[in-house]
Amino acid sequence: MTKGRLSLIFVVLLGSVAFVVIRNVQEANNASQYPLSSHQTEILNEAKVSKRGLSTDEIDRFTIGQGKFLLIQHLNLHHLDYRVGSKEYIRFLASISERKDLKENPTFVIIGSYASVYLSELQKKEPLFLRFHLPPDILNATIKEKERKLVIYNIP
């Protein structure tokens, strides 16, 4: 085999490996892997119906990944096609804490926690060509666990 042919094979192989790794990371970050339990859904529904905020204990029962799950549901419901890591997605996350209409929705306390963690972690990363996703260890952490390391979105 010629040197050029070996180089081509190496590039194709490297590209295939990169594709598989990227695909696996994206699958691991799929928001549908973090659905709410029936108890968590009940907590949110009761808070909405009674027009009350969530208690600290109730908030602590959710994971960061479940915040992402609720955000994706919201984006889909409102036909907002913001891909995770896109400029629109990041702008939307940054706007959550300033929007009074969202602050009054108990679901957005959980989404806001996800947004705070996402934006904080994004600031720590070097810009890449790939869109930023939170790693599974952060998505699996409860809001309470992340709260120890970060000031979480809070409604006064």
Side-chain angles (χ1 to χ4, degrees), residues 69-99:
F69 174 80
L70 291 168
L71 172 64
I72 300 302
Q73 281 188 327
H74 173 81
L75 295 176
N76 289 339
L77 179 67
H78 295 283
H79 308 290
L80 300 171
D81 190 26
Y82 302 157
R83 295 187 62 172
V84 175
S86 68
K87 288 179 185 178
E88 297 85 7
Y89 185 83
I90 293 167
R91 280 190 208 119
F92 184 82
L93 293 180
S95 76
I96 289 173
S97 65
E98 298 173 14
R99 291 185 50 189

PDB file of all heavy atoms in Angstrom, residues 69-99:
ATOM      1  N   PHE A  69     -35.132  17.975  30.626  1.00  0.00           N
ATOM      2  CA  PHE A  69     -36.317  17.301  30.099  1.00  0.00           C
ATOM      3  C   PHE A  69     -37.501  18.280  30.036  1.00  0.00           C
ATOM      4  O   PHE A  69     -38.187  18.383  29.020  1.00  0.00           O
ATOM      5  CB  PHE A  69     -36.657  16.097  30.987  1.00  0.00           C
ATOM      6  CG  PHE A  69     -37.932  15.392  30.633  1.00  0.00           C
ATOM      7  CD1 PHE A  69     -37.963  14.488  29.585  1.00  0.00           C
ATOM      8  CD2 PHE A  69     -39.092  15.616  31.350  1.00  0.00           C
ATOM      9  CE1 PHE A  69     -39.143  13.821  29.256  1.00  0.00           C
ATOM     10  CE2 PHE A  69     -40.271  14.956  31.034  1.00  0.00           C
ATOM     11  CZ  PHE A  69     -40.298  14.057  29.982  1.00  0.00           C
ATOM     12  N   LEU A  70     -37.730  19.028  31.128  1.00  0.00           N
ATOM     13  CA  LEU A  70     -38.833  19.989  31.166  1.00  0.00           C
ATOM     14  C   LEU A  70     -38.619  21.128  30.173  1.00  0.00           C
ATOM     15  O   LEU A  70     -39.572  21.601  29.546  1.00  0.00           O
ATOM     16  CB  LEU A  70     -38.993  20.549  32.588  1.00  0.00           C
ATOM     17  CG  LEU A  70     -39.511  19.558  33.626  1.00  0.00           C
ATOM     18  CD1 LEU A  70     -39.361  20.121  35.033  1.00  0.00           C
ATOM     19  CD2 LEU A  70     -40.962  19.188  33.344  1.00  0.00           C
ATOM     20  N   LEU A  71     -37.365  21.551  30.016  1.00  0.00           N
ATOM     21  CA  LEU A  71     -37.065  22.604  29.051  1.00  0.00           C
ATOM     22  C   LEU A  71     -37.377  22.133  27.632  1.00  0.00           C
ATOM     23  O   LEU A  71     -38.014  22.858  26.866  1.00  0.00           O
ATOM     24  CB  LEU A  71     -35.596  23.023  29.149  1.00  0.00           C
ATOM     25  CG  LEU A  71     -35.123  23.985  28.060  1.00  0.00           C
ATOM     26  CD1 LEU A  71     -35.859  25.312  28.148  1.00  0.00           C
ATOM     27  CD2 LEU A  71     -33.628  24.183  28.144  1.00  0.00           C
ATOM     28  N   ILE A  72     -36.935  20.944  27.271  1.00  0.00           N
ATOM     29  CA  ILE A  72     -37.185  20.422  25.928  1.00  0.00           C
ATOM     30  C   ILE A  72     -38.689  20.294  25.686  1.00  0.00           C
ATOM     31  O   ILE A  72     -39.183  20.630  24.603  1.00  0.00           O
ATOM     32  CB  ILE A  72     -36.448  19.076  25.701  1.00  0.00           C
ATOM     33  CG1 ILE A  72     -34.926  19.251  25.853  1.00  0.00           C
ATOM     34  CG2 ILE A  72     -36.814  18.468  24.351  1.00  0.00           C
ATOM     35  CD1 ILE A  72     -34.283  20.262  24.929  1.00  0.00           C
ATOM     36  N   GLN A  73     -39.433  19.857  26.706  1.00  0.00           N
ATOM     37  CA  GLN A  73     -40.892  19.791  26.570  1.00  0.00           C
ATOM     38  C   GLN A  73     -41.477  21.174  26.287  1.00  0.00           C
ATOM     39  O   GLN A  73     -42.346  21.330  25.439  1.00  0.00           O
ATOM     40  CB  GLN A  73     -41.523  19.218  27.839  1.00  0.00           C
ATOM     41  CG  GLN A  73     -41.438  17.732  27.964  1.00  0.00           C
ATOM     42  CD  GLN A  73     -42.257  17.231  29.152  1.00  0.00           C
ATOM     43  OE1 GLN A  73     -42.381  17.901  30.176  1.00  0.00           O
ATOM     44  NE2 GLN A  73     -42.808  16.053  29.001  1.00  0.00           N
ATOM     45  N   HIS A  74     -40.995  22.169  27.031  1.00  0.00           N
ATOM     46  CA  HIS A  74     -41.479  23.543  26.851  1.00  0.00           C
ATOM     47  C   HIS A  74     -41.161  24.047  25.442  1.00  0.00           C
ATOM     48  O   HIS A  74     -42.027  24.628  24.781  1.00  0.00           O
ATOM     49  CB  HIS A  74     -40.845  24.474  27.901  1.00  0.00           C
ATOM     50  CG  HIS A  74     -41.165  25.913  27.682  1.00  0.00           C
ATOM     51  ND1 HIS A  74     -42.354  26.472  28.081  1.00  0.00           N
ATOM     52  CD2 HIS A  74     -40.459  26.902  27.062  1.00  0.00           C
ATOM     53  CE1 HIS A  74     -42.369  27.757  27.731  1.00  0.00           C
ATOM     54  NE2 HIS A  74     -41.229  28.039  27.113  1.00  0.00           N
ATOM     55  N   LEU A  75     -39.925  23.827  25.004  1.00  0.00           N
ATOM     56  CA  LEU A  75     -39.527  24.284  23.664  1.00  0.00           C
ATOM     57  C   LEU A  75     -40.379  23.609  22.590  1.00  0.00           C
ATOM     58  O   LEU A  75     -40.840  24.281  21.653  1.00  0.00           O
ATOM     59  CB  LEU A  75     -38.046  24.001  23.423  1.00  0.00           C
ATOM     60  CG  LEU A  75     -37.058  24.770  24.308  1.00  0.00           C
ATOM     61  CD1 LEU A  75     -35.627  24.315  24.030  1.00  0.00           C
ATOM     62  CD2 LEU A  75     -37.200  26.267  24.141  1.00  0.00           C
ATOM     63  N   ASN A  76     -40.619  22.319  22.728  1.00  0.00           N
ATOM     64  CA  ASN A  76     -41.444  21.592  21.755  1.00  0.00           C
ATOM     65  C   ASN A  76     -42.883  22.089  21.772  1.00  0.00           C
ATOM     66  O   ASN A  76     -43.495  22.284  20.720  1.00  0.00           O
ATOM     67  CB  ASN A  76     -41.405  20.087  22.018  1.00  0.00           C
ATOM     68  CG  ASN A  76     -40.058  19.474  21.680  1.00  0.00           C
ATOM     69  OD1 ASN A  76     -39.274  20.038  20.916  1.00  0.00           O
ATOM     70  ND2 ASN A  76     -39.773  18.323  22.262  1.00  0.00           N
ATOM     71  N   LEU A  77     -43.432  22.305  22.956  1.00  0.00           N
ATOM     72  CA  LEU A  77     -44.814  22.769  23.102  1.00  0.00           C
ATOM     73  C   LEU A  77     -45.022  24.118  22.415  1.00  0.00           C
ATOM     74  O   LEU A  77     -46.066  24.373  21.822  1.00  0.00           O
ATOM     75  CB  LEU A  77     -45.176  22.871  24.589  1.00  0.00           C
ATOM     76  CG  LEU A  77     -46.569  23.361  24.925  1.00  0.00           C
ATOM     77  CD1 LEU A  77     -47.623  22.336  24.480  1.00  0.00           C
ATOM     78  CD2 LEU A  77     -46.699  23.608  26.425  1.00  0.00           C
ATOM     79  N   HIS A  78     -44.006  24.963  22.491  1.00  0.00           N
ATOM     80  CA  HIS A  78     -44.105  26.308  21.912  1.00  0.00           C
ATOM     81  C   HIS A  78     -43.443  26.410  20.532  1.00  0.00           C
ATOM     82  O   HIS A  78     -43.197  27.511  20.051  1.00  0.00           O
ATOM     83  CB  HIS A  78     -43.518  27.332  22.888  1.00  0.00           C
ATOM     84  CG  HIS A  78     -44.314  27.424  24.145  1.00  0.00           C
ATOM     85  ND1 HIS A  78     -45.510  28.093  24.226  1.00  0.00           N
ATOM     86  CD2 HIS A  78     -44.114  26.880  25.367  1.00  0.00           C
ATOM     87  CE1 HIS A  78     -46.009  27.983  25.444  1.00  0.00           C
ATOM     88  NE2 HIS A  78     -45.173  27.240  26.151  1.00  0.00           N
ATOM     89  N   HIS A  79     -43.159  25.251  19.941  1.00  0.00           N
ATOM     90  CA  HIS A  79     -42.587  25.170  18.589  1.00  0.00           C
ATOM     91  C   HIS A  79     -41.311  26.008  18.448  1.00  0.00           C
ATOM     92  O   HIS A  79     -41.108  26.684  17.441  1.00  0.00           O
ATOM     93  CB  HIS A  79     -43.623  25.577  17.532  1.00  0.00           C
ATOM     94  CG  HIS A  79     -44.915  24.836  17.663  1.00  0.00           C
ATOM     95  ND1 HIS A  79     -45.031  23.490  17.365  1.00  0.00           N
ATOM     96  CD2 HIS A  79     -46.144  25.226  18.088  1.00  0.00           C
ATOM     97  CE1 HIS A  79     -46.270  23.099  17.591  1.00  0.00           C
ATOM     98  NE2 HIS A  79     -46.963  24.126  18.036  1.00  0.00           N
ATOM     99  N   LEU A  80     -40.483  25.958  19.476  1.00  0.00           N
ATOM    100  CA  LEU A  80     -39.193  26.646  19.452  1.00  0.00           C
ATOM    101  C   LEU A  80     -38.129  25.600  19.127  1.00  0.00           C
ATOM    102  O   LEU A  80     -37.853  24.724  19.937  1.00  0.00           O
ATOM    103  CB  LEU A  80     -38.909  27.312  20.802  1.00  0.00           C
ATOM    104  CG  LEU A  80     -39.933  28.369  21.227  1.00  0.00           C
ATOM    105  CD1 LEU A  80     -39.685  28.810  22.654  1.00  0.00           C
ATOM    106  CD2 LEU A  80     -39.903  29.552  20.269  1.00  0.00           C
ATOM    107  N   ASP A  81     -37.568  25.701  17.961  1.00  0.00           N
ATOM    108  CA  ASP A  81     -36.610  24.702  17.488  1.00  0.00           C
ATOM    109  C   ASP A  81     -35.183  25.134  17.828  1.00  0.00           C
ATOM    110  O   ASP A  81     -34.388  25.430  16.934  1.00  0.00           O
ATOM    111  CB  ASP A  81     -36.781  24.488  15.982  1.00  0.00           C
ATOM    112  CG  ASP A  81     -35.987  23.304  15.480  1.00  0.00           C
ATOM    113  OD1 ASP A  81     -35.711  22.387  16.278  1.00  0.00           O
ATOM    114  OD2 ASP A  81     -35.634  23.299  14.287  1.00  0.00           O
ATOM    115  N   TYR A  82     -34.884  25.207  19.115  1.00  0.00           N
ATOM    116  CA  TYR A  82     -33.548  25.581  19.567  1.00  0.00           C
ATOM    117  C   TYR A  82     -32.790  24.300  19.880  1.00  0.00           C
ATOM    118  O   TYR A  82     -33.168  23.562  20.782  1.00  0.00           O
ATOM    119  CB  TYR A  82     -33.594  26.430  20.829  1.00  0.00           C
ATOM    120  CG  TYR A  82     -34.391  27.708  20.738  1.00  0.00           C
ATOM    121  CD1 TYR A  82     -34.893  28.299  21.883  1.00  0.00           C
ATOM    122  CD2 TYR A  82     -34.644  28.332  19.523  1.00  0.00           C
ATOM    123  CE1 TYR A  82     -35.608  29.473  21.830  1.00  0.00           C
ATOM    124  CE2 TYR A  82     -35.370  29.506  19.465  1.00  0.00           C
ATOM    125  CZ  TYR A  82     -35.849  30.079  20.622  1.00  0.00           C
ATOM    126  OH  TYR A  82     -36.567  31.243  20.578  1.00  0.00           O
ATOM    127  N   ARG A  83     -31.725  24.059  19.147  1.00  0.00           N
ATOM    128  CA  ARG A  83     -30.912  22.871  19.398  1.00  0.00           C
ATOM    129  C   ARG A  83     -30.011  23.132  20.588  1.00  0.00           C
ATOM    130  O   ARG A  83     -29.500  24.242  20.758  1.00  0.00           O
ATOM    131  CB  ARG A  83     -30.093  22.535  18.172  1.00  0.00           C
ATOM    132  CG  ARG A  83     -31.003  22.143  16.992  1.00  0.00           C
ATOM    133  CD  ARG A  83     -30.230  21.652  15.861  1.00  0.00           C
ATOM    134  NE  ARG A  83     -29.535  20.440  16.309  1.00  0.00           N
ATOM    135  CZ  ARG A  83     -28.864  19.654  15.525  1.00  0.00           C
ATOM    136  NH1 ARG A  83     -28.786  19.934  14.247  1.00  0.00           N
ATOM    137  NH2 ARG A  83     -28.262  18.584  15.981  1.00  0.00           N
ATOM    138  N   VAL A  84     -29.797  22.122  21.407  1.00  0.00           N
ATOM    139  CA  VAL A  84     -28.932  22.256  22.571  1.00  0.00           C
ATOM    140  C   VAL A  84     -27.572  22.772  22.110  1.00  0.00           C
ATOM    141  O   VAL A  84     -26.971  22.244  21.186  1.00  0.00           O
ATOM    142  CB  VAL A  84     -28.764  20.911  23.309  1.00  0.00           C
ATOM    143  CG1 VAL A  84     -27.773  21.053  24.449  1.00  0.00           C
ATOM    144  CG2 VAL A  84     -30.104  20.411  23.826  1.00  0.00           C
ATOM    145  N   GLY A  85     -27.115  23.840  22.745  1.00  0.00           N
ATOM    146  CA  GLY A  85     -25.820  24.424  22.421  1.00  0.00           C
ATOM    147  C   GLY A  85     -25.859  25.514  21.373  1.00  0.00           C
ATOM    148  O   GLY A  85     -24.869  26.214  21.174  1.00  0.00           O
ATOM    149  N   SER A  86     -27.006  25.705  20.713  1.00  0.00           N
ATOM    150  CA  SER A  86     -27.101  26.753  19.691  1.00  0.00           C
ATOM    151  C   SER A  86     -27.161  28.127  20.371  1.00  0.00           C
ATOM    152  O   SER A  86     -27.450  28.235  21.569  1.00  0.00           O
ATOM    153  CB  SER A  86     -28.341  26.551  18.822  1.00  0.00           C
ATOM    154  OG  SER A  86     -29.522  26.783  19.578  1.00  0.00           O
ATOM    155  N   LYS A  87     -26.914  29.176  19.599  1.00  0.00           N
ATOM    156  CA  LYS A  87     -26.973  30.538  20.141  1.00  0.00           C
ATOM    157  C   LYS A  87     -28.363  30.840  20.701  1.00  0.00           C
ATOM    158  O   LYS A  87     -28.497  31.454  21.758  1.00  0.00           O
ATOM    159  CB  LYS A  87     -26.605  31.564  19.065  1.00  0.00           C
ATOM    160  CG  LYS A  87     -25.147  31.558  18.706  1.00  0.00           C
ATOM    161  CD  LYS A  87     -24.849  32.573  17.617  1.00  0.00           C
ATOM    162  CE  LYS A  87     -23.402  32.464  17.195  1.00  0.00           C
ATOM    163  NZ  LYS A  87     -23.079  33.404  16.119  1.00  0.00           N
ATOM    164  N   GLU A  88     -29.391  30.393  19.985  1.00  0.00           N
ATOM    165  CA  GLU A  88     -30.768  30.643  20.426  1.00  0.00           C
ATOM    166  C   GLU A  88     -31.049  29.936  21.758  1.00  0.00           C
ATOM    167  O   GLU A  88     -31.701  30.493  22.643  1.00  0.00           O
ATOM    168  CB  GLU A  88     -31.778  30.161  19.374  1.00  0.00           C
ATOM    169  CG  GLU A  88     -31.706  30.880  18.050  1.00  0.00           C
ATOM    170  CD  GLU A  88     -30.657  30.304  17.108  1.00  0.00           C
ATOM    171  OE1 GLU A  88     -30.045  29.252  17.410  1.00  0.00           O
ATOM    172  OE2 GLU A  88     -30.439  30.922  16.053  1.00  0.00           O
ATOM    173  N   TYR A  89     -30.568  28.723  21.875  1.00  0.00           N
ATOM    174  CA  TYR A  89     -30.746  27.927  23.096  1.00  0.00           C
ATOM    175  C   TYR A  89     -30.075  28.631  24.273  1.00  0.00           C
ATOM    176  O   TYR A  89     -30.675  28.804  25.328  1.00  0.00           O
ATOM    177  CB  TYR A  89     -30.137  26.545  22.870  1.00  0.00           C
ATOM    178  CG  TYR A  89     -30.331  25.535  23.980  1.00  0.00           C
ATOM    179  CD1 TYR A  89     -31.516  24.805  24.062  1.00  0.00           C
ATOM    180  CD2 TYR A  89     -29.340  25.279  24.909  1.00  0.00           C
ATOM    181  CE1 TYR A  89     -31.698  23.842  25.043  1.00  0.00           C
ATOM    182  CE2 TYR A  89     -29.512  24.318  25.900  1.00  0.00           C
ATOM    183  CZ  TYR A  89     -30.689  23.607  25.957  1.00  0.00           C
ATOM    184  OH  TYR A  89     -30.863  22.657  26.939  1.00  0.00           O
ATOM    185  N   ILE A  90     -28.853  29.065  24.061  1.00  0.00           N
ATOM    186  CA  ILE A  90     -28.099  29.728  25.124  1.00  0.00           C
ATOM    187  C   ILE A  90     -28.762  31.052  25.500  1.00  0.00           C
ATOM    188  O   ILE A  90     -28.898  31.364  26.690  1.00  0.00           O
ATOM    189  CB  ILE A  90     -26.624  29.916  24.697  1.00  0.00           C
ATOM    190  CG1 ILE A  90     -25.956  28.538  24.588  1.00  0.00           C
ATOM    191  CG2 ILE A  90     -25.878  30.816  25.671  1.00  0.00           C
ATOM    192  CD1 ILE A  90     -24.618  28.536  23.884  1.00  0.00           C
ATOM    193  N   ARG A  91     -29.207  31.817  24.505  1.00  0.00           N
ATOM    194  CA  ARG A  91     -29.919  33.079  24.804  1.00  0.00           C
ATOM    195  C   ARG A  91     -31.191  32.818  25.601  1.00  0.00           C
ATOM    196  O   ARG A  91     -31.520  33.559  26.524  1.00  0.00           O
ATOM    197  CB  ARG A  91     -30.259  33.810  23.508  1.00  0.00           C
ATOM    198  CG  ARG A  91     -29.119  34.580  22.942  1.00  0.00           C
ATOM    199  CD  ARG A  91     -29.594  35.491  21.793  1.00  0.00           C
ATOM    200  NE  ARG A  91     -28.469  35.670  20.911  1.00  0.00           N
ATOM    201  CZ  ARG A  91     -28.418  35.303  19.637  1.00  0.00           C
ATOM    202  NH1 ARG A  91     -29.468  34.761  19.061  1.00  0.00           N
ATOM    203  NH2 ARG A  91     -27.343  35.494  18.922  1.00  0.00           N
ATOM    204  N   PHE A  92     -31.920  31.773  25.209  1.00  0.00           N
ATOM    205  CA  PHE A  92     -33.154  31.452  25.924  1.00  0.00           C
ATOM    206  C   PHE A  92     -32.844  31.107  27.383  1.00  0.00           C
ATOM    207  O   PHE A  92     -33.502  31.594  28.297  1.00  0.00           O
ATOM    208  CB  PHE A  92     -33.899  30.291  25.251  1.00  0.00           C
ATOM    209  CG  PHE A  92     -35.216  29.985  25.908  1.00  0.00           C
ATOM    210  CD1 PHE A  92     -36.339  30.727  25.610  1.00  0.00           C
ATOM    211  CD2 PHE A  92     -35.316  28.965  26.847  1.00  0.00           C
ATOM    212  CE1 PHE A  92     -37.556  30.471  26.238  1.00  0.00           C
ATOM    213  CE2 PHE A  92     -36.526  28.692  27.471  1.00  0.00           C
ATOM    214  CZ  PHE A  92     -37.652  29.450  27.164  1.00  0.00           C
ATOM    215  N   LEU A  93     -31.835  30.267  27.611  1.00  0.00           N
ATOM    216  CA  LEU A  93     -31.457  29.910  28.976  1.00  0.00           C
ATOM    217  C   LEU A  93     -31.071  31.146  29.779  1.00  0.00           C
ATOM    218  O   LEU A  93     -31.455  31.282  30.949  1.00  0.00           O
ATOM    219  CB  LEU A  93     -30.300  28.901  28.981  1.00  0.00           C
ATOM    220  CG  LEU A  93     -30.594  27.511  28.428  1.00  0.00           C
ATOM    221  CD1 LEU A  93     -29.341  26.650  28.500  1.00  0.00           C
ATOM    222  CD2 LEU A  93     -31.747  26.855  29.155  1.00  0.00           C
ATOM    223  N   ALA A  94     -30.327  32.043  29.159  1.00  0.00           N
ATOM    224  CA  ALA A  94     -29.884  33.257  29.853  1.00  0.00           C
ATOM    225  C   ALA A  94     -31.050  34.180  30.181  1.00  0.00           C
ATOM    226  O   ALA A  94     -30.996  34.920  31.171  1.00  0.00           O
ATOM    227  CB  ALA A  94     -28.846  33.988  29.004  1.00  0.00           C
ATOM    228  N   SER A  95     -32.120  34.122  29.402  1.00  0.00           N
ATOM    229  CA  SER A  95     -33.267  35.015  29.622  1.00  0.00           C
ATOM    230  C   SER A  95     -34.230  34.523  30.697  1.00  0.00           C
ATOM    231  O   SER A  95     -35.058  35.298  31.184  1.00  0.00           O
ATOM    232  CB  SER A  95     -34.038  35.203  28.314  1.00  0.00           C
ATOM    233  OG  SER A  95     -34.816  34.049  28.010  1.00  0.00           O
ATOM    234  N   ILE A  96     -34.140  33.267  31.070  1.00  0.00           N
ATOM    235  CA  ILE A  96     -35.123  32.682  31.988  1.00  0.00           C
ATOM    236  C   ILE A  96     -35.217  33.448  33.306  1.00  0.00           C
ATOM    237  O   ILE A  96     -36.313  33.758  33.776  1.00  0.00           O
ATOM    238  CB  ILE A  96     -34.816  31.194  32.256  1.00  0.00           C
ATOM    239  CG1 ILE A  96     -35.117  30.384  31.004  1.00  0.00           C
ATOM    240  CG2 ILE A  96     -35.619  30.657  33.440  1.00  0.00           C
ATOM    241  CD1 ILE A  96     -34.698  28.932  31.094  1.00  0.00           C
ATOM    242  N   SER A  97     -34.093  33.768  33.902  1.00  0.00           N
ATOM    243  CA  SER A  97     -34.124  34.408  35.226  1.00  0.00           C
ATOM    244  C   SER A  97     -34.685  35.822  35.181  1.00  0.00           C
ATOM    245  O   SER A  97     -35.058  36.363  36.223  1.00  0.00           O
ATOM    246  CB  SER A  97     -32.723  34.421  35.835  1.00  0.00           C
ATOM    247  OG  SER A  97     -31.873  35.228  35.064  1.00  0.00           O
ATOM    248  N   GLU A  98     -34.791  36.420  34.008  1.00  0.00           N
ATOM    249  CA  GLU A  98     -35.284  37.792  33.891  1.00  0.00           C
ATOM    250  C   GLU A  98     -36.736  37.874  33.440  1.00  0.00           C
ATOM    251  O   GLU A  98     -37.302  38.961  33.405  1.00  0.00           O
ATOM    252  CB  GLU A  98     -34.387  38.564  32.930  1.00  0.00           C
ATOM    253  CG  GLU A  98     -32.957  38.639  33.439  1.00  0.00           C
ATOM    254  CD  GLU A  98     -32.015  39.256  32.434  1.00  0.00           C
ATOM    255  OE1 GLU A  98     -32.489  39.861  31.448  1.00  0.00           O
ATOM    256  OE2 GLU A  98     -30.799  39.129  32.634  1.00  0.00           O
ATOM    257  N   ARG A  99     -37.328  36.756  33.098  1.00  0.00           N
ATOM    258  CA  ARG A  99     -38.692  36.770  32.569  1.00  0.00           C
ATOM    259  C   ARG A  99     -39.700  36.461  33.666  1.00  0.00           C
ATOM    260  O   ARG A  99     -39.780  35.347  34.161  1.00  0.00           O
ATOM    261  CB  ARG A  99     -38.817  35.770  31.426  1.00  0.00           C
ATOM    262  CG  ARG A  99     -38.029  36.215  30.216  1.00  0.00           C
ATOM    263  CD  ARG A  99     -38.214  35.333  29.040  1.00  0.00           C
ATOM    264  NE  ARG A  99     -39.628  35.076  28.740  1.00  0.00           N
ATOM    265  CZ  ARG A  99     -40.016  34.178  27.854  1.00  0.00           C
ATOM    266  NH1 ARG A  99     -39.126  33.462  27.193  1.00  0.00           N
ATOM    267  NH2 ARG A  99     -41.293  33.976  27.627  1.00  0.00           N
TER     268      ARG A  99
END
